[in-house]
Amino acid sequence: AQKVTQAQTEISVVEKEDVTLDCVYETRDTTYYLFWYKQPPSGELVFLIRRNSFDEQNEISGRYSWNFQKSTSSFNFTITASQVVDSAVYFCALRSGGFKTIFGAGTRLFVKA
Amino acid sequence: EAGVVQSPRYKIIEKKQPVAFWCNPISGHNTLYWYRQNLGQGPELLIRYENEEAVDDSQLPKDRFSAERLKGVDSTLKIQPAELGDSAVYLCASSLLARSGETQYFGPGTRLLVL
């Protein structure tokens, strides 16, 4: 069975703080893909990153960074120097064994000025 | 390049009424998805199309939900009759090819409220 767990329901930080959003996944497949999406209040899911199971290299994109660790089945997302515009719901997703994408329940991030 | 377009953005109906949602995917994207997102949860797949063929509709409640993508471009999702539990956001997504790792791009969704 495939599963994605985002244990943090809500996180509240003050602007300029760093924040890490956790994602733990379960799959028996050796080939799979992991995604992060951002959902601002407007409702649209905005694609942030895709990672395949054979690429454990961490990635940095501006203030965003991702830490993929197969040993712990985790794909965590860190925002450095958070800004108010980062306030949104963030979803981690897993795609394996075909075309079905399983989303976590999301983490709502509040960044206060 | 235009993103995924959905309409309407909001819909309020009374239970037992029919409702339809429309989606126009990104130009050139062959694969189209309909998802339902309940409050406080992640999206859940309802149906996936490759061109005009519904290749995965296992999660679509077929007694009241139907979908079509007649020309392999835009798509319509219908509920008839709507129930209170159908209140949710209905998201459409598209991807370029039918490959497992292909990234899906989402539209803004239609927020449905059934009274």
Side-chain angles (χ1 to χ4, degrees):
Chain A
Q2 290 120 21
K3 187 178 179 181
V4 175
T5 302
Q6 294 181 256
Q8 305 148 308
T9 305
E10 289 186 2
I11 301 175
S12 183
V13 299
V14 177
E15 208 170 20
K16 298 184 183 178
E17 286 185 8
D18 299 346
V19 58
T20 296
L21 310 181
D22 298 333
C23 174
V24 174
Y25 62 92
E26 293 178 28
T27 181
R28 294 181 181 176
D29 295 310
T30 55
T31 301
Y32 53 88
Y33 299 84
L34 295 163
F35 303 82
W36 275 96
Y37 285 87
K38 173 182 179 180
Q39 188 173 41
S42 60
E44 182 173 344
L45 270 82
V46 178
F47 166 72
L48 296 178
I49 190 171
R50 177 186 69 193
R51 253 306 174 249
N52 73 56
S53 52
F54 300 107
D55 183 2
E56 285 192 74
Q57 193 170 14
N58 292 329
E59 182 156 338
I60 297 175
S61 176
R63 296 184 297 106
Y64 295 170
S65 62
W66 291 269
N67 184 352
F68 177 27
Q69 292 198 355
K70 289 177 73 171
S71 59
T72 56
S73 297
S74 65
F75 186 42
N76 297 337
F77 173 32
T78 297
I79 302 174
T80 303
S82 59
Q83 300 176 3
V84 172
V85 293
D86 296 327
S87 296
V89 181
Y90 291 86
F91 290 96
C92 179
L94 165 70
R95 199 174 211 193
S96 66
F99 297 91
K100 187 170 183 178
T101 303
I102 304 296
F103 286 81
T107 296
R108 183 177 295 275
L109 175 65
F110 294 98
V111 181
K112 294 180 282 189
Chain B
E1 180 180 300
V4 177
V5 179
Q6 290 188 248
S7 68
R9 291 295 312 276
Y10 305 92
K11 190 73 177 179
I12 301 174
I13 61 172
E14 294 189 347
K15 63 181 180 182
K16 300 184 182 180
Q17 294 300 305
V19 64
F21 315 125
W22 177 80
C23 171
N24 193 26
I26 293 172
S27 178
H29 280 198
N30 297 321
T31 307
L32 183 146
Y33 312 77
W34 281 104
Y35 286 85
R36 177 168 58 190
Q37 184 178 18
N38 293 315
L39 190 63
Q41 298 181 22
E44 295 178 326
L45 181 70
L46 291 173
I47 190 168
R48 175 171 64 92
Y49 281 93
E50 290 179 18
N51 298 304
E52 61 274 6
E53 183 182 357
V55 294
D56 183 358
D57 62 356
S58 57
Q59 303 300 312
L60 190 72
K62 298 181 184 63
D63 56 336
R64 298 182 301 106
F65 285 66
S66 64
E68 59 183 17
R69 194 186 184 199
L70 293 175
K71 297 181 180 178
V73 180
D74 57 347
S75 175
T76 302
L77 178 69
K78 298 178 182 177
I79 308 175
Q80 182 170 11
E83 297 179 353
L84 295 176
D86 296 330
S87 295
V89 176
Y90 291 83
L91 294 162
C92 180
S94 68
S95 62
L96 183 58
L97 296 171
R99 283 204 298 252
S100 184
E102 202 68 28
T103 297
Q104 297 172 57
Y105 295 91
F106 285 81
T110 297
R111 294 178 185 270
L112 173 67
L113 178 60
V114 182
L115 302 176

